[in-house]
Amino acid sequence: MAKVWKVLALLLVITALVWLSTLWRWQSANVNPDATQLLLQLVAVPLILTAALLAVVWAVKRLRNYAAAPAVAASTKAPATPAAAAAPAADARQVPHRVLAAAVQVRAGAAWRDAQSSIAEGSCKAELDATMKDDNGIAIFTAPVADLSTDNVAGALDDIGSSRKGLPADWPGHLPQPEMLRALASLEAVVEQMGAQVESQWPALSVPLPSARASSNGNVPLLPPVVSVRVGIPARWPVPAQQLASAWLHQVFEPLIEDGLKAAGQSRAMASTARPAVQLHVHPVENAEAHWLLMEQQLQQWHRERQPGLLWAMAADSLVGEDTVEQLSRHNELFSGQRQQGRVPGEGGAGVLLASATWPAPTGTPAPLALMHKASVIKRDKSADASGRVTSQALVQAVDDMLLGTGQDAKLIQHLTTDADHRVSRTVEVYETLQERLSHLDASEHALRLGLGCGDIGIARLVACAALTATQVKESEAPALLLGAQSPFDRLAVLMAPATPPATAPATPPAPAPAAAAQAA
């Protein structure tokens, strides 16, 4: 019905313009129109122009949808049997990666159920900051991690700055800001939680390579096992701050890397000349999607090269600080009473330990938390922050591509985790996607909107969602979906499935927790 009113309004506007121009032209030229001219100019012309404009709009939409549709290569020969038709689709599916461990440092909690309950109940939400105010002197909303101590990090950075150990010779010096100290403190907590779990995988580095005859099998690795430690830090930090953070990270991970090289039979001298078994990479990234892409690129490389790989991916960020708040306010992106579509500064850190399909699990190590499939990423045509109605087409398309690529039945997905926050545009996208593709889920019980309680945690938001989702998949033994909807343009969907799927999957969602309440939109 709304479309009919829009068409009628368009016809009315075009008719008014045509009548005004025609009557003015006739009056200026002293024309006395007959019945045919009246019918043609005042009735037929507005109808023709309206129809032509609608046809152009329809054609443009068709072209845009065609351009946005994924390309599908059609086979020239039909398969002889249904089994032959299904084989290529099965081969095209990416092999999932095992999530061996996960840790998260956010204010909502370290487990999915705890985070979902605290946000749904309203006990975890943004609050007025005690010290920071906006340009008008009004207190702003922030979502800091409670009881986060930065003393150890501040002392370590001061020592590194004084000794200049691990820093470039031309390092100009830098005074760490509160945002940097809080982000690195969150990262330190994640490293402490996961360190022992990572070290338990070191025996796999000493596994001998298979024989040349065995390596001819496509499922047998060709290269020795390696471990990649990839840490994301915000690219918005000044270069001297990035260099200082990198020196600190190398100092933090040095004992762990030494033990890993020793388990692989390498020394520091050998690792500098050969391919090291354990490597640390520090990546300044612009956003959480860029960090996720680096993770997947590493996993895909190991898959192509048939190399056993262990990826320890971490990220930490903090927007709780005067400098970041000033930048958000300057760009009109800070949440306030006058700007409900602004962002709430948050903070956090998270890490996941991912193993490739050929990684040999050492004896006695725990079973994986979950299996993580390759992400489906779609880019929106229009920014979600732009004015006007925001549609969920891109997010729905990402979910559809994920379901197609994994072969997962949407009705078996039991939980949803998203980085979406309080903003109406993000809320609409997530809830429309739930209604269209996951209508069997109760949004107030089976969906976790991390951004609603923790604010914008920057580059750590997707890794944090992945870590929390892995804990829930382990607990529920049911598939779960991760949706990235915080970015203005990028939309992401990731499936996490149980590492040991049950014999019969549940057909309905799990019973709601009594303590959970409806989640605010």
Side-chain angles (χ1 to χ4, degrees), residues 10 13 29 33 68 83 101 109 119 143 214 251 350 439 458-459 478 497 503:
L10 178 64
V13 171
I119 293 176
Q251 178 177 292
S439 58
I459 65 170

Side-chain angles (χ1 to χ4, degrees), residues 10-26 38 40-50:
L10 178 64
L11 176 60
L12 181 62
V13 171
I14 293 178
T15 301
L17 292 175
V18 170
W19 281 31
L20 286 174
S21 61
T22 302
L23 294 176
W24 175 82
R25 182 168 52 84
W26 284 346
L38 289 173
L40 179 63
Q41 294 292 331
L42 302 184
V43 178
V45 170
L47 291 174
I48 293 173
L49 290 177
T50 303

